[in-house]
């Protein structure tokens, strides 16, 4: 599953069994966190876990531009091999989530990643970013 | 009790109990919620196919990103400073944060 679409939580079908880094339970946690973040803020959150080409920041921003609505999207790009995390907020999204708060969320995420907990870090980061963004319009 | 009975009761039962508990613990750890047995640890290679979570099907321009022209402008890092002189940011630019562990 390279570019994956996670079914929205309204579907009753279980997520496909991935031979990937996340177990089903972890996928469900991430899915739920993303759904809550999207619904409470009105922004679109997406998470990329995989290798990023050098320079890492530009590759993350390039992927962010591939989204349907980059201005209102937040991309969290995680590269476990390079051990780098990039949070990219679109033009509209960055007014809701200032860079300072993105930095704080990144700090808590890497604290979890450093302990080897990918899912926990992702869920924590989504939760922090969504609560900083506040209610959407 | 005879010697054999004593040995069986006081040595055998604890040994069997220890083996059972160890077996259950091993089975639980290898098949637990640890990524299907391949839990990520910092420093270990991450060989999985890249995964991109999206909450709903999004229209992507080009999965390889080749839709951008060769002269594509490099956006500024945080919108407050230019990465290098001469590279322009697209209108608005993007924000966010970077970090590493």
């Amino acid at each position: 599953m390279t570019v994956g679409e996670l079914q929205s939580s309204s579907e009753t079908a279980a997520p496909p069994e991935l031979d990937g880094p996340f177990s089903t339970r972890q996928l469900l946690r991430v899915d739920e966190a993303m759904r809550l973040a999207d619904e409470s803020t009105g922004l679109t959150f997406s998470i990329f876990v995989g290798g990023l080409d050098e320079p890492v920041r530009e590759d993350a921003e390039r992927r962010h531009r591939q989204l349907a609505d980059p201005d209102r999207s937040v991309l969290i790009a995680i590269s476990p091999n390079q051990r780098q995390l990039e949070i990219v907020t679109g033009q509209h999204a960055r007014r809701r989530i200032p860079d300072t708060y993105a930095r704080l969320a990144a700090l808590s995420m890497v604290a979890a990643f450093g302990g080897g907990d990918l899912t926990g870090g992702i869920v924590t980061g989504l939760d922090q970013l969504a609560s900083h963004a506040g209610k959407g319009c | 009790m005879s010697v054999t009975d004593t040995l069986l009761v006081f040595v055998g039962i604890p040994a069997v109990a220890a083996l059972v508990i160890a077996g259950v613990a091993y089975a639980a750890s290898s098949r637990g919620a640890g990524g299907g047995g391949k839990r990520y640890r910092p420093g270990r290679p991450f060989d999985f196919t890249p995964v991109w979570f999206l909450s709903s099907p999004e229209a992507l321009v080009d999965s390889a990103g080749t839709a951008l022209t060769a002269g594509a402008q490099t956006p500024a890092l945080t919108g407050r400073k230019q990465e290098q002189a001469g590279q322009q940011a697209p209108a608005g630019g993007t924000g966010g944060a970077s970090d590493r562990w």
Side-chain angles (χ1 to χ4, degrees), chain A residues 41-89:
Chain A
T41 62
L43 303 169
T44 308
F45 287 83
S46 71
I47 301 167
F48 176 83
V49 183
L52 294 166
D53 305 321
E54 296 285 346
V56 172
R57 178 70 191 176
E58 281 155 24
D59 194 42
E61 288 170 344
R62 181 180 59 84
R63 289 183 191 276
H64 178 260
R65 285 194 288 275
Q66 293 174 13
L67 293 168
D69 188 6
D71 285 341
R72 282 186 149 71
S73 300
V74 178
L75 171 67
I76 301 173
I78 304 163
S79 174
N81 274 338
Q82 297 147 305
R83 292 164 74 146
Q84 279 196 272
L85 162 73
E86 299 287 342
I87 300 178
V88 186
T89 50

Side-chain angles (χ1 to χ4, degrees), chain B residues 23-33:
Chain B
V24 170
Y26 175 76
S29 70
S30 64
R31 271 186 286 113

